[in-house]
Amino acid sequence: MPRGQRHDHADTGITASNGAEGFEKALFEQARAGLEVYDTDLRVLRANPAVLAMRGLPASRVIGAGLPDLDPHLPLSPIIREVMAGACPVFDRPVSTYPPADPGNRHDYAVTGYPLQERGRPIGAASMIHDVTDQVRRQEELDLLSVARARIGSSLDAVRTAQELTEIAVPSFADATAVDLLESVFAGDAPVGPVTDQPPMRRAGFKAREGQYGAYPIGGTSHFAVPTPYTQALADLRPRLVESVVSARQWLANDRLRAEFIRRAGVHSLIVTPLTVHGLVLGLASFYRAGSHPEPFDEEDLSMATQLAARTALCVDNARRFTREHTVATTLQRSLLPRTAPLAAAVESSHCYMPGRYGAHWFDVLRLSSCRIGLVIGFVPGEDLPASVVMGRLRTAVSTLAAMDLPPDELLVHLDDVAQQLAREQDSDPLALQHARPPFTASCVYLTYDPISRRCAAASAGHESPLVTSPQGVVSGLDVPRGAPLGRGVPYELHTTELSAGSLLSLFSDGSADRYPAEADERANQLREVVADASADPTEICDTAACKVLRGRAPEDGAALLVARTRCLAPDHVATWTFPPEPVSVREARRATRDRLAQWGLEDHVFVTDLVVSELATNVVRHAEGAIRLRLILDRTLTVEVSDDADTAPHLRHARLQDEGGRGLFLVASMTRHWGTRYEDGGKTIWAEQSLPAA
């Protein structure tokens, strides 16, 4: 075109003047405007193999390309057609026939024309086409990296992270992608350096176009033969680019399963890049191209694969670190919880515990005096390790307070004092301020059950009430008033009821109840169906609950279930007498005790029991008030109880040689297994427990 000639393009709105330089500038502005306006067409362009086929070709070949060069079976974006139309008088001709049902398809033409030297078009116009193609490719790469940063690492799960990489890379970057991780990563162990042998690896992610399946299933063990690009990448931590698989038949012979996959999928080019963090190996990512991507991988693709692998490796390492911390916290939690339920006459119990990713659950079955039993369950929200430590301290405090035979409401008041102290320690901890930990809180429910009176007493500190299943299979709540969580400094209400022998007590802790109430209600309803089976023992109920309620749909914060079936002590294993507070009553109490021990066949225990009864009954006559109430309980142990109406607290003394008194309780404590004092509404009870032969 002569210098200074003006050429108007009415259909595109472009005006070229002042020679090729102004024309090229206008052409560039048109291309940029086209990319902004035709957003929908741009998406088609990015996935159009016809445009991808032009990468790396000189401009003369692009303009003069015939249909075979531009893949006649796939469409070309109208943007490129308009750019080319503005550069030279090319013509479009149809290359595919679409069904009548799709008459409005806009992308059914390919570009053809004549070589530059034959048409006499400016060189700058042809170069512009190549620049636009490069710009589109760079934009595709930026978009892919942006998507990778947004989607890879959405969860702290190594398998999910690996699968996210495969979903992003296929089909825009590769036709198939596989991710293999070291076995140690799944356990949370630290990564290793360069790998020169054949470490155990597991397939963590795989995706391919058209339903192709990989050489190894997801979750299965992956094997790598030596030498292959895979093992070389693991050894020197450098990615490998195989532009043509046809020229790599030698190493394919060493890896039969992957060679079969490459043949079956029609792979012609691949990239292997290690997943590394700070020079340590986590795994391996493999990218494959087949028929949908006719162009082989090049150096720019290798750079892209390396960036994708680096992002994935960082997220996998975060998941590994979380797994390691969670494993440590879970191990600590399990070490702080009871492993087996104690043998007790009051209940037959079992438990089910599933740790979560947040918080710590705790439960316990506590043997109390006079064959009674204590059941407790609770939850401490927060980070795994700090919550586990708090859980252990609260469980120890409950065990100590329960040994004092406190009623549930009083026990929770003392436990609340412990929680307030823990809260003050957390508030003064610089690490807590640095990590912005939420205010301290915890919840629990504690109940006691007496197999003689069948009386159940319970109190709750911000925890849901236990479920009670009658021997007939009727499930109902225990209706325990739900008090404030621990650490608030408020009192708690006591709820008492009488349970039938054979009733089922179910104490459940759902860590997600406050955050996801709808899901928690659904699990609670399913639990009601499980515990409605009156004929099942606690172990069967826990196993069923683990399968039907928790497995596959367990709460994110974990859960714990404590199940106990109540029992009633046989009447002939309990003997009760009441004597007036007179010295002669001590002799009568000893005589009644010897007679009952003879009936139970415990003549060998007459001497110790006679001494205990004598000392405790004498203390009532001398230091207390009210009648002498004596009770003998036979179970796995022999318990002697002496009750009175006084509130005075006896204490153990170590008398000196010249002292005339103060040796009574010392003798009782020395000759029995345990002893203690239990306060009730109308006085106190001093009890002493003796061990019995295993038979």
Side-chain angles (χ1 to χ4, degrees):
M1 182 178 297
R3 183 177 181 85
Q5 181 177 352
R6 182 180 181 89
H7 180 76
D8 295 332
H9 298 264
D11 56 337
T12 61
I14 290 183
T15 301
S17 62
N18 297 327
E21 180 178 356
F23 181 82
E24 293 170 7
K25 181 178 180 181
L27 185 61
F28 175 80
E29 295 295 331
Q30 183 223 15
R32 185 175 64 178
L35 290 174
E36 295 175 354
V37 173
Y38 295 99
D39 182 65
T40 303
D41 294 336
L42 183 58
R43 294 193 185 99
V44 177
L45 171 62
R46 292 172 182 170
N48 194 330
V51 176
L52 299 179
M54 293 189 294
R55 292 180 178 176
L57 297 179
S60 58
R61 289 197 58 191
V62 173
I63 296 301
L67 291 180
D69 297 319
L70 291 182
D71 191 350
H73 301 291
L74 292 167
L76 187 65
S77 170
I79 298 176
I80 292 298
R81 291 209 313 274
E82 294 181 12
V83 172
M84 290 183 173
C88 60
V90 298
F91 59 89
D92 297 32
R93 83 187 164 189
V95 297
S96 60
T97 303
Y98 285 85
D102 190 18
N105 194 294
R106 304 174 56 196
H107 310 297
D108 55 350
Y109 289 85
V111 178
T112 185
Y114 300 96
L116 280 178
Q117 62 272 20
E118 295 183 7
R119 303 299 297 171
R121 290 298 157 205
I123 295 296
S127 301
M128 193 77 253
I129 301 171
H130 190 267
D131 294 342
V132 170
T133 304
D134 287 343
Q135 182 182 3
V136 170
R137 179 177 184 179
R138 287 192 295 270
Q139 186 62 42
E140 291 175 353
E141 294 173 349
L142 292 176
D143 290 346
L144 185 60
L145 290 176
S146 177
V147 172
R149 286 192 294 268
R151 293 180 53 186
I152 296 179
S154 61
S155 65
L156 292 173
D157 183 270
V159 175
R160 178 57 190 160
T161 301
Q163 193 62 32
E164 287 169 347
L165 171 62
T166 64
E167 293 172 355
I168 291 173
V170 178
S172 59
F173 182 71
D175 289 298
T177 302
V179 179
D180 302 281
L181 300 178
L182 293 172
E183 285 284 356
S184 58
V185 173
F186 296 96
D189 296 337
V192 299
V195 178
T196 56
D197 52 358
Q198 301 185 36
M201 301 186 73
R202 193 192 311 172
R203 175 61 55 87
F206 180 83
K207 185 178 181 181
R209 294 175 64 106
E210 301 176 356
Q212 288 283 351
Y213 57 91
Y216 299 96
I218 296 179
T221 303
S222 298
H223 300 280
F224 294 93
V226 179
T228 61
Y230 307 98
T231 56
Q232 293 171 352
L234 290 173
D236 58 15
L237 306 186
R238 292 189 303 159
R240 291 296 190 276
L241 168 62
V242 180
E243 296 185 13
S244 177
V245 177
V246 177
S247 61
R249 298 186 181 276
Q250 182 176 1
W251 66 262
L252 284 176
N254 299 329
D255 199 335
R256 182 180 59 83
L257 292 179
R258 283 187 175 80
E260 171 62 24
F261 161 72
I262 290 174
R263 181 197 62 78
R264 182 178 67 250
V267 174
H268 60 80
S269 181
L270 65 92
I271 291 177
V272 180
T273 176
L275 302 177
T276 61
V277 175
H278 306 303
L280 302 176
V281 180
L282 296 170
L284 202 66
S286 307
F287 304 89
Y288 303 91
R289 278 187 177 176
S292 299
H293 290 79
E295 71 286 353
F297 286 117
D298 55 20
E299 292 296 333
E300 293 187 18
D301 295 321
L302 182 63
S303 175
M304 171 62 67
T306 303
Q307 295 180 69
L308 292 176
R311 171 66 182 179
T312 304
L314 180 62
C315 297
V316 168
D317 188 58
N318 290 338
R320 180 199 64 80
R321 292 174 181 271
F322 175 80
T323 300
R324 177 62 177 174
E325 180 178 344
H326 181 63
T327 301
V328 172
T330 302
T331 303
L332 177 61
Q333 291 177 25
R334 292 189 181 278
S335 66
L336 295 174
L337 294 174
R339 300 184 180 275
T340 58
L343 297 176
V347 296
E348 176 190 5
S349 62
S350 182
H351 63 263
C352 172
Y353 171 60
M354 299 191 71
R357 292 175 174 264
Y358 178 80
H361 298 268
W362 53 291
F363 54 89
D364 213 343
V365 180
L366 305 168
R367 294 185 60 181
L368 307 178
S369 62
S370 305
C371 294
R372 297 177 305 118
I373 203 74
L375 304 176
V376 62
I377 193 168
F379 175 65
V380 179
E383 300 175 6
D384 277 348
L385 283 175
S388 301
V389 173
V390 172
M391 176 267 289
R393 298 178 69 175
L394 289 178
R395 180 184 175 233
T396 302
V398 170
S399 300
T400 304
L401 294 171
M404 299 171 61
D405 277 326
L406 296 175
D409 56 338
E410 293 185 21
L411 184 142
L412 290 185
V413 170
H414 290 286
L415 188 63
D416 184 81
D417 294 337
V418 176
Q420 292 183 55
Q421 176 62 31
L422 294 176
R424 287 190 292 269
E425 293 178 2
Q426 175 178 303
D427 293 340
S428 61
D429 185 5
L431 292 178
L433 299 176
Q434 179 180 355
H435 295 287
R437 292 175 182 169
F440 174 87
T441 184
S443 64
C444 78
V445 59
Y446 176 72
L447 64 84
T448 60
Y449 173 72
D450 189 341
I452 300 176
S453 63
R454 294 184 285 111
R455 180 175 178 267
C456 177
S460 171
H463 207 85
E464 53 266 24
S465 297
L467 297 177
V468 180
T469 306
S470 68
Q472 294 76 30
V474 178
V475 182
S476 61
L478 200 57
D479 294 332
V480 181
R482 186 168 182 173
L486 294 174
R488 306 295 175 83
V490 298
Y492 299 95
E493 294 186 45
L494 181 67
H495 174 78
T496 60
T497 186
E498 187 174 313
L499 300 178
S500 301
S503 298
L504 194 70
L505 287 169
S506 301
L507 288 73
F508 184 58
S509 178
D510 190 337
S512 301
D514 293 335
R515 298 195 297 164
Y516 307 104
E519 297 179 6
D521 290 342
E522 182 180 356
R523 282 188 290 269
N525 293 333
Q526 292 178 338
L527 180 63
R528 283 175 172 267
E529 297 177 0
V530 172
V531 301
D533 187 359
S535 61
D537 60 47
T539 301
E540 294 175 350
I541 291 176
C542 288
D543 293 342
T544 304
C547 294
K548 293 185 177 181
V549 181
L550 301 181
R551 185 164 297 173
R553 53 190 304 126
E556 180 182 356
D557 300 340
L561 174 64
L562 178 60
V563 180
R565 187 175 298 281
T566 62
R567 294 170 175 167
C568 184
L569 206 61
D572 59 348
H573 281 212
V574 180
T576 305
W577 301 273
T578 301
F579 303 99
E582 301 174 356
V584 69
S585 297
V586 177
R587 183 176 66 248
E588 296 297 329
R590 291 200 302 266
R591 181 183 300 112
T593 299
R594 289 193 294 266
D595 294 341
R596 182 49 61 101
L597 293 181
Q599 295 179 19
W600 288 343
L602 299 177
E603 290 83 358
D604 294 341
H605 294 266
V606 169
F607 175 76
V608 175
T609 307
D610 192 76
L611 175 62
V612 171
V613 170
S614 178
E615 291 294 338
L616 297 183
T618 302
N619 283 342
V620 174
V621 174
R622 291 183 176 180
H623 308 292
E625 58 186 25
I628 302 174
R629 296 184 294 275
L630 172 64
R631 185 167 71 167
L632 301 182
I633 304 173
L634 175 63
D635 184 43
R636 292 179 175 85
T637 60
L638 176 62
T639 304
V640 177
E641 292 183 354
V642 175
S643 304
D644 57 63
D645 296 336
D647 294 331
T648 55
H651 61 278
L652 183 64
R653 293 175 55 189
H654 295 274
R656 295 171 295 182
L657 293 177
Q658 63 271 24
D659 292 341
E660 297 183 359
R663 296 180 177 85
L665 285 179
F666 180 77
L667 291 175
V668 171
S670 300
M671 305 189 70
T672 59
R673 178 182 176 183
H674 298 295
W675 79 279
T677 304
R678 181 172 70 249
Y679 293 92
E680 298 172 348
D681 294 338
K684 68 176 183 298
T685 298
I686 303 177
W687 56 271
E689 186 179 280
Q690 302 177 54
S691 300
L692 295 178

